[in-house]
């Protein structure tokens, strides 16, 4: 009986307590609707409080029947307080929007989490106004620290000496991939992220946290929106269109955002050197749904279908190049066609469980499938001639001497099918003095690759290499049937600590430390990567006069770690089409020292950032870049390094309109461990160069070991500039300017000898400009009638490559019967409106 009474009293007390409490939950965001992870929610005058999770959501149990003042706060934002009185057992939703009062360029928020984690935040809305043929969120990366983009039709980018495959891209915590078979930017089409569906973009150029995967260069982390009301957008242009719809239903328990895109670059491709019938069609459809099963459990689904088709029937090509004293013209007449298609399916389910006010658990499963086909047979009959340079000659600008005449035949029938199935778990725990994160995942990768390609060069009726019998020798041939299945398993654990000064909360020190490990079944290798980041905010202040003190908002950081990159399919495939079973993960040791300062100019916010870095790399897999296709050697036979300095100034030169400028210097070099070549000398002691020297009979030779040579991404100087302005007296009319400058990249003849790739392309210079006019949505504009249903209405006009500068995308190599090689630049297109 005593046990029964005790149990009855205990349950009664718990029931009475439950009836005397209530729950307050909601989301904390900024004025633009961007959620604020780790925002603070507290009750003034009590010890009650909590922090938002990674999604910006909070849940707080409060006493019922009392007037309570709930305060929402976030570093750099003005706090917001609201008084609530809750009924016993009530669950009330209270969302809060905070206004930033510190300096805040739109691409980087001056918040604690940005500085602590080492990522920059990018406003996805800028993709609408950034004048770029690419049209995706990747175009916004051109102004980020260390990022180099050389092809405006490709979403590929290199970061601090890395290549396109060394960058991580996440959408809603799921890694996404670029096409495998793509050779040129015009084939690539639409990238995965849809700008209309994005809520938040963060980017790190190195020294990133252990929670991100195993790549050596950078991470781009994208989160799709969880809408709170009905909305949508539509865009139409000469290059395509896009439409998206979003809504929150069932008392905001069910939410979705859905987007469809269509794009064709036919107008752009017609302005290049190669004339023909271009028919590129790029389409995709995406949808993201979330449903609250309970107040603490959310189920989500992300789905995508993408189809990028590129068909072309080339007619002819005419390219003039070279200096004035040796002006050349390359003319080609084509037969044949190219048909390329990349088709992608993707689906992901996630379950988010708010186990307690301090603990968030995520469970994710996803499936990715791609089918890529590449089919072309193109014959080109070419003529390389020297132009008349005499200004007084009637033949000025005409071909007066033939340097090479011949035919080439390029053929491919390639088919690649790949699928990746992933299951993952992530956890987030807010502890009293730290923030703990962990994760586990396992991926099953299946790849089937059918290769059949060859290249025949016939110079002046002589097949090169020369025929010596009845067999026809092809210059390049690749044929293989490859099937690979493997499993990757990884785990990570990291924690964030923060120490504040007792006399000032503006003076603080934070430490982010963690480690991750991965096992790959293909080679049995296990790699472990410790990573650390230390940030110091001194909280300096400047006394202008006794009653005026100005914050000197500096931060300094030191980051580093061990970054492995286990090979994916293309890295382990050698140049002859076979797989290397002994391939190992590439390794890079990062050391990074940086600082930033927030300040005001003309009473407008600005941020200056600088980072110096050094990356020591070994077990590298050498590669060559052919346009945007990376051809790996498939062996770990190189070591290298990359070092440099990046600086960036971002701010509002015009009130409320953001601009930026970044400058980077870089040196990236590598040393192949087993490469060498011989200089051959004739009887006169002259070095033999086929096609140039008359006596090509070698009587002596000298072995040369090249040592360190430039990596294919060794662009010494890179400058990016994005500027926005308003027209005087017409604030609804704006101009947007995008400028890019870069020094030359290394290249060389296509002979699989990396030591020969020490030539340099010409400078990269490009200016794009856009004009926009807002017809609805601005302050003071008429919102009556049908106009009240439209939030914004814009009309834009853009001019690509304003200065009509021919930038080099690649080189076509021609060899005559003497062995002399000619490099013909493949230019990107001219100016387009």
């Amino acid at each position: 009986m005593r046990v029964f009474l005790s149990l009855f009293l205990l349950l009664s007390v718990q029931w009475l307590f439950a009836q005397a409490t209530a729950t307050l939950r909601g989301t904390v965001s900024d004025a633009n609707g961007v959620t604020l992870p780790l925002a603070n929610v507290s009750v003034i005058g009590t010890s009650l409080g909590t922090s938002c999770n990674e999604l910006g959501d909070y849940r707080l149990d409060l006493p019922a029947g009392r007037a309570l003042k709930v305060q929402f706060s976030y570093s750099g934002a003005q706090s917001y307080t609201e008084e609530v009185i809750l009924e016993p057992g009530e669950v009330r939703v209270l969302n809060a929007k905070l206004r930033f009062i510190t300096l805040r360029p739109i691409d980087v928020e001056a918040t604690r989490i940005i500085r602590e984690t080492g990522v920059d935040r990018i406003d996805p809305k800028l993709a609408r106004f950034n004048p770029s043929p690419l049209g995706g969120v990747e175009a916004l990366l051109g102004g980020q620290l260390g990022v180099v983009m050389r092809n405006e039709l490709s979403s590929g980018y290199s970061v601090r000496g890395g290549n396109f495959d060394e960058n991580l891209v996440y959408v809603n915590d799921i890694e996404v991939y670029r096409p495998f078979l793509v050779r040129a930017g015009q084939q690539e089409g639409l990238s995965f992220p849809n700008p209309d569906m994005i809520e938040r973009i963060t980017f790190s150029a190195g020294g990133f946290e252990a929670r991100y995967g195993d790549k050596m260069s950078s991470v781009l982390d994208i989160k799709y929106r969880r809408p709170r009301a009905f909305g949508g957008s539509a865009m139409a242009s000469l290059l395509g269109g896009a439409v998206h719809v979003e809504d929150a239903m069932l008392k905001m328990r069910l939410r979705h955002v859905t987007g469809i895109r269509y794009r064709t670059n036919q107008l752009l491709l017609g302005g290049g050197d190669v004339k023909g019938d271009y028919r590129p069609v790029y389409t995709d459809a995406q949808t993201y749904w979330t449903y609250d099963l309970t107040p603490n459990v959310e189920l989500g689904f992300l789905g995508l279908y993408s189809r990028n088709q590129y068909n072309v029937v080339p007619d002819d090509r005419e390219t003039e190049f070279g200096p004035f004293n040796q002006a050349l013209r390359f003319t080609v007449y084509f037969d044949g066609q190219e048909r390329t298609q990349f088709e992608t399916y993707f689906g992901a389910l996630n379950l988010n469980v708010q186990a307690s006010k301090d603990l968030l658990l995520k469970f994710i499963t996803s499936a990715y499938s791609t089918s890529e086909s590449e089919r072309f047979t193109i014959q080109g009959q070419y003529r390389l001639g020297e132009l008349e340079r005499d200004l007084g000659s009637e033949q000025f600008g005409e071909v007066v001497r033939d340097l090479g005449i011949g035919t080439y035949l390029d053929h491919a029938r390639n088919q690649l099918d790949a699928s990746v199935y992933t299951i993952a778990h992530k956890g987030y725990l807010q502890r009293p003095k730290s923030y703990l994160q962990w994760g586990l995942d396992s991926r099953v990768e299946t790849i089937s690759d059918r290769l059949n390609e060859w290249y025949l060069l016939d110079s002046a009726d002589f097949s090169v290499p020369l025929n010596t019998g009845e067999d026809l020798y092809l210059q390049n041939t690749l044929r293989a049937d490859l099937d690979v299945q493997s499993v990757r398993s990884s785990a990570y654990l990291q924690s964030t600590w923060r120490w504040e000064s007792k006399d000032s909360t503006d003076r603080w020190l934070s430490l982010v430390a963690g480690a991750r490990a991965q096992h790959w079944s293909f080679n049995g290798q296990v790699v472990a990567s410790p990573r650390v980041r230390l940030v110091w905010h001194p909280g300096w202040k400047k006394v202008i006069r006794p009653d005026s003190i100005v914050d000197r908002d500096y931060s300094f950081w030191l980051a580093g770690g061990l970054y492995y990159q286990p090979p994916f399919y293309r890295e382990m495939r050698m140049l002859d089409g076979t797989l290397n079973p002994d391939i190992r993960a590439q390794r890079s040791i990062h050391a990074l020292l940086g600082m930033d300062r927030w300040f005001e100019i003309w009473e407008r916010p600005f941020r200056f950032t600088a980072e110096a870095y050094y990356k020591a790399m070994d077990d590298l897999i050498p590669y060559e870049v052919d346009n945007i296709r990376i051809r790996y050697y498939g062996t770990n036979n190189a070591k290298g390094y990359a070092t440099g300095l990046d600086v960036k100034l971002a701010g509002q030169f015009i009130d409320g309109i953001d601009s930026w400028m970044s400058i980077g210097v870089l040196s990236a070099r590598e040393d192949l461990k087993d490469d060498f070549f011989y200089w051959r000398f004739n009887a006169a002691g002259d070095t033999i160069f086929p096609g140039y020297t008359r006596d090509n009979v070698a009587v002596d030779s000298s072995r040369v070991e090249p040592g360190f040579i430039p990596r294919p991404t060794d662009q010494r100087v890179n400058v990016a500039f994005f500027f926005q302005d308003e027209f005087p007296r017409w604030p609804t009319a704006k101009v947007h300017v995008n400028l890019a400058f870069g020094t030359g990249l290394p290249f060389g003849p296509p002979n699989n000898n990396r030591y020969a790739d020490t030539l340099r392309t010409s400078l990269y210079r490009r200016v794009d400009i856009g004009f926009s006019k807002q017809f609805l949505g601005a302050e003071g504009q008429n919102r009556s009638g049908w106009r009240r249903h439209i939030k914004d209405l814009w009309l834009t006009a853009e001019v690509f490559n304003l200065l009509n500068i021919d930038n080099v995308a690649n080189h076509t190599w021609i060899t005559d019967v003497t062995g002399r090689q000619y490099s013909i630049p493949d230019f990107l297109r001219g100016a387009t409106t």
Side-chain angles (χ1 to χ4, degrees), residues 644-673:
L645 173 67
D646 295 317
V647 296
K648 178 181 178 180
L649 177 65
Q652 298 180 0
F653 292 94
I654 303 297
D655 189 27
I657 302 177
D658 295 87
S659 305
W660 62 71
M661 180 179 68
S662 65
I663 302 175
V665 293
L666 163 73
S667 176
R669 303 176 71 83
E670 67 182 5
D671 179 16
L672 275 67
K673 301 176 182 178

Side-chain angles (χ1 to χ4, degrees), residues 28 35-39 52-56 74 112-113 121 200:
V28 182
T35 57
L36 301 176
L38 300 183
C52 293
N53 61 22
E54 191 199 40
L55 304 175
Y74 192 71
R112 178 188 70 193
I113 191 172
R121 182 166 289 181
R200 185 169 65 249

